[in-house]
Amino acid sequence: MQIAADSSQSSFLLYNPDERAICEVPSNMGLYKKNAYFLNEKAEFVTSSIADEKENSNSMAENYPNVEITPNIVPVLQESFIEIKKWEGKISEVDFNKEIFWAFIRDNKFPNIEEETYFSFDDIDENDQNLVEEGAIFYWSIGYKRTLSGGREKVSIILFRRLPAWNIEQKKVDDKIEKLKKLFTDEHPSR
Amino acid sequence: MNTPPDDDEIEISIFGTGTGECLAIHIGYGRWILIDSCYLSKNKTPLHIEYIKSLGFDLTSSIKLIICSHWHDDHTKGLSGIYDLIDVPIVVSIALKQQEFLRLAAIYQELNVPSSFTSGVYELSKIFESKEKNHSKKIVFAINNKRELIEITEGTNAVIEFLSPSDEDVIAAVKKIAELIPVNKKCIKSLPAPINNDFCIATLINIVNDSVLFGADKECSNSNGKGWQFIYEKFKTLGLKKSSVFKIAHHGSENGDHECIWQGMLNGNPFAILTPFFRSKLPRETDIERIIKKTNNAYSTGPKTQNKSSFMPEVIKVLRDFDMDKKISQINKDFGQVILRKKMTAQNWNVSTNGTAYKLE
């Protein structure tokens, strides 16, 4: 996905990889409050601005189901982020009492190395804590943030993947179940 | 031990990585049964498959049955690939034939959640897909009191007794599976597996004069209609033969253990082998102490400790600031193997270990 305008303009145009504009987003939609990432499977990071409020994100997701919107936690507008390592993670277990979660993580540049770690709930943005559940997918980046004053700060960012709301035709699922049932009709253990 | 077992030799090979386990059982005359699957990250070939190949066996003709004890990631990695590759029946829990699981599988097949991570349900969905493509492939749905026979030689069979799940196990499992069915219009995610092991298949394999008990991740229950208490009652009712080898249940956890197993289902001083599971810190010291009081022949596949990940200094510098530098472990890097062999008519097993495996003392 591409973004057409810079943040000084009054709106942004978002484009699909085939360069067809799919939506126009007013720049006052949460701009300068917090940032948002727009992701799809082909381009995982494009812009550093636009909405942060969840309701805006949800409405975007409903209107444009192929757009994935993940509110960002760290980089502030016009500050740069130098990433030195990034993992994709999948939560494998959550301990709500201890407020920690375990996750498999993988640096996709090194697919032959699998790693496992755990995070405290404190490591993630408060607004994202409701997304902590088994099976949730997230991205974890570490690096440096160059601030507006020219300083450099170490940064660890966890972004939960907010896939769009899904809406599968019930009939399609029912048909699939019938097909599987039929497939298993003759499958019985012998005695 | 890289020489193949003789035709009249039984072999039980147990593999563990610390986040996965699987078994290969030679029932004689070049015929193998596989239980579960796990692999190393570096090549993603299931460890038992790699081993059987290294012994010179042809996979297609030598593997006679695959048992998938349950759907957790640490038992299923690579399972669908084996089923795809070899025309061999696979045994799965009968809970997976219920409407609730089929719905779950159907939804996730349709959603096709993009992620580089595999999961137990993904592996099982792939198995269902293979069956859809090739109807002649066989899936056996196991429930207690059912058995499969695998011919060793003409007139001699290995008898595979499925000791669980019980009806009550299945009902409990189905209830939990139903809770995992995603609600329409909610955000999707990759599919988790419930932590408990209700529909796990515990198996007893009888080969000639001996039997081997595979505990999978079966745990105890407060109800006599579930867990090990149920299995023991069933074992007694069916008059099954006590075993000389036990694949310890649930990574040696206290909840996977019950006095009835050692008293009622195993011979004295049996070979007992466990695989560790690092995330849950299993086995604990107290688990090992408990197990070695039961038998002098207890082994672990290891590894003993997790491998810490190594990073570039620049990465460590940032991780340290966030107190994450020591929390990351590399998984599925090493494995251990405990091998038990004996002639079919012999009483005593010969034990050897490979890789990270060791005797519990």
Side-chain angles (χ1 to χ4, degrees):
Chain A
M1 181 170 307
Q2 297 295 323
I3 184 160
D6 65 38
S7 57
S8 62
Q9 292 183 255
S10 60
S11 67
F12 298 94
L13 281 176
L14 297 178
Y15 289 88
N16 260 338
D18 62 3
E19 298 188 346
R20 199 161 42 86
I22 58 164
C23 68
E24 187 174 351
V25 183
S27 62
N28 62 2
M29 202 167 120
L31 190 63
Y32 299 115
K33 288 182 188 170
K34 262 189 176 180
N35 305 316
Y37 287 154
F38 285 75
L39 298 100
N40 68 7
E41 283 177 67
K42 291 184 180 166
E44 65 179 33
F45 172 76
V46 176
T47 182
S48 62
S49 61
I50 308 179
D52 78 313
E53 287 107 354
K54 282 199 180 121
E55 53 196 61
N56 286 342
S57 302
N58 290 341
S59 119
M60 286 285 290
E62 273 171 29
N63 292 329
Y64 306 102
N66 53 344
V67 179
E68 180 182 337
I69 302 167
T70 309
N72 184 20
I73 305 162
V74 178
V76 178
L77 194 68
Q78 290 167 353
E79 289 178 334
S80 60
F81 174 58
I82 304 153
E83 183 180 277
I84 60 167
K85 195 163 175 71
K86 182 181 182 180
W87 291 266
E88 184 186 0
K90 177 187 155 189
I91 297 184
S92 50
E93 202 171 323
V94 184
D95 187 332
F96 286 100
N97 294 326
K98 291 182 184 161
E99 296 202 329
I100 57 168
F101 64 90
W102 287 83
F104 296 120
I105 56 171
R106 177 175 285 161
D107 177 345
N108 288 329
K109 286 180 199 150
F110 303 99
N112 291 342
I113 297 177
E114 291 176 280
E115 290 162 323
E116 191 174 36
T117 189
Y118 61 96
F119 295 93
S120 155
F121 281 22
D122 293 339
D123 295 329
I124 52 174
D125 187 83
E126 221 171 78
N127 295 325
D128 281 353
Q129 291 190 357
N130 62 333
L131 299 174
V132 175
E133 56 180 335
E134 272 180 63
I137 301 284
F138 62 89
Y139 299 98
W140 177 32
S141 302
I142 57 166
Y144 295 95
K145 180 179 75 172
R146 197 167 287 286
T147 62
L148 290 172
S149 59
R152 204 170 84 141
E153 286 174 19
K154 290 169 190 163
V155 171
S156 166
I157 310 166
I158 296 173
L159 295 173
F160 277 86
R161 188 169 184 153
R162 287 168 201 257
L163 287 163
W166 64 277
N167 194 354
I168 298 174
E169 226 181 291
Q170 194 59 38
K171 192 178 173 312
K172 217 171 173 184
V173 174
D174 291 341
D175 288 349
K176 182 90 190 171
I177 294 169
E178 283 314 307
K179 209 170 157 190
L180 288 173
K181 271 186 181 170
K182 209 171 159 194
L183 203 62
F184 300 148
T185 307
D186 301 323
E187 304 285 3
H188 295 294
S190 55
R191 175 85 199 167
Chain B
M1 196 191 298
N2 279 325
T3 53
D6 294 337
D7 279 351
D8 62 346
E9 248 180 339
I10 307 169
E11 174 177 329
I12 317 292
S13 260
I14 297 139
F15 304 83
T17 67
T19 41
E21 73 170 49
C22 65
L23 295 98
I25 301 122
H26 180 251
I27 57 173
Y29 296 88
R31 289 154 192 240
W32 292 83
I33 294 172
L34 308 182
I35 301 182
D36 296 337
S37 179
C38 68
Y39 54 57
L40 295 187
S41 312
K42 67 179 179 194
N43 64 7
K44 298 182 174 57
T45 306
L47 292 172
H48 43 25
I49 290 286
E50 203 166 62
Y51 174 65
I52 293 170
K53 258 164 77 173
S54 78
L55 296 178
F57 290 97
D58 169 55
L59 297 176
T60 316
S61 57
S62 61
I63 296 170
K64 299 296 175 191
L65 189 73
I66 309 169
I67 300 171
C68 168
S69 71
H70 63 301
W71 71 1
H72 282 163
D73 296 2
D74 56 319
H75 292 254
T76 52
K77 278 190 167 184
L79 213 49
S80 60
I82 306 170
Y83 187 65
D84 224 21
L85 185 75
I86 307 164
D87 199 5
V88 59
I90 188 163
V91 179
V92 299
S93 172
I94 200 157
L96 305 183
K97 197 184 179 183
Q98 310 307 307
Q99 176 92 1
E100 286 75 6
F101 183 79
L102 298 183
R103 182 167 294 278
L104 197 63
I107 289 172
Y108 274 88
Q109 268 184 21
E110 287 296 325
L111 288 175
N112 197 16
V113 183
S115 168
S116 54
F117 296 97
T118 179
S119 76
V121 176
Y122 170 84
E123 293 283 349
L124 288 159
S125 294
K126 286 276 172 204
I127 287 167
F128 289 179
E129 266 177 36
S130 283
K131 166 82 180 161
E132 276 182 73
K133 283 183 204 146
N134 181 355
H135 288 210
S136 68
K137 280 185 176 282
K138 199 176 173 201
I139 298 179
V140 176
F141 291 96
I143 190 163
N144 75 89
N145 208 17
K146 297 290 180 187
R147 66 164 58 144
E148 281 283 303
L149 305 177
I150 306 288
E151 189 178 72
I152 303 172
T153 55
E154 204 179 328
T156 314
N157 292 316
V159 183
I160 296 104
E161 301 273 0
F162 304 121
L163 304 173
S164 67
S166 68
D167 292 349
E168 216 176 291
D169 282 327
V170 174
I171 292 165
V174 164
K175 202 175 148 194
K176 294 203 176 79
I177 292 169
E179 287 167 6
L180 295 176
I181 296 173
V183 180
N184 224 353
K185 293 189 178 165
K186 287 269 183 181
C187 282
I188 55 172
K189 55 181 182 166
S190 76
L191 189 62
I195 289 171
N196 72 54
N197 299 302
D198 284 322
F199 63 72
C200 199
I201 306 171
T203 310
L204 186 81
I205 301 186
N206 289 288
I207 309 165
V208 189
N209 295 320
D210 216 330
S211 77
V212 182
L213 179 63
F214 300 97
D217 274 2
K218 202 73 201 166
E219 293 181 81
C220 298
S221 165
N222 294 328
S223 161
N224 285 338
K226 287 174 70 187
W228 279 110
Q229 295 92 321
F230 170 85
I231 291 172
Y232 175 55
E233 288 307 318
K234 189 55 67 179
F235 191 94
K236 277 195 301 186
T237 311
L238 294 173
L240 298 174
K241 194 177 173 58
K242 284 187 178 182
S243 300
S244 56
V245 178
F246 178 38
K247 202 298 287 179
I248 292 175
H250 199 235
H251 314 287
S253 80
E254 195 175 359
N255 204 40
D257 200 359
H258 196 288
E259 196 52 36
C260 68
I261 302 172
W262 302 92
Q263 295 300 321
M265 300 168 75
L266 299 172
N267 291 329
N269 213 25
F271 279 91
I273 299 97
L274 66 79
T275 65
F277 187 60
F278 290 136
R279 193 195 315 152
S280 302
K281 296 187 171 63
L282 293 173
R284 294 183 169 81
E285 279 300 319
T286 49
D287 296 324
I288 294 172
E289 283 167 21
R290 189 188 68 249
I291 291 163
I292 58 178
K293 277 183 195 159
K294 307 283 185 192
T295 177
N296 297 325
N297 294 314
Y299 288 81
S300 167
T301 60
K304 266 185 184 166
T305 53
Q306 281 178 290
N307 289 296
K308 291 291 166 207
S309 270
S310 53
F311 297 114
M312 303 281 284
E314 198 184 9
V315 176
I316 294 173
K317 231 158 97 182
V318 180
L319 287 173
R320 198 176 290 143
D321 251 35
F322 295 97
D323 196 25
M324 290 299 296
D325 54 321
K326 292 189 176 72
K327 290 182 183 171
I328 305 171
S329 306
Q330 197 174 335
I331 57 171
N332 297 321
K333 191 183 176 202
D334 302 317
F335 76 98
Q337 178 186 11
V338 179
I339 306 169
L340 293 163
R341 277 189 187 177
K342 75 175 182 80
K343 292 284 180 190
M344 285 180 183
T345 50
Q347 287 293 315
N348 299 322
W349 292 91
N350 295 312
V351 63
S352 60
T353 57
N354 280 336
T356 59
Y358 62 101
K359 188 171 186 189
L360 295 174
E361 287 171 318

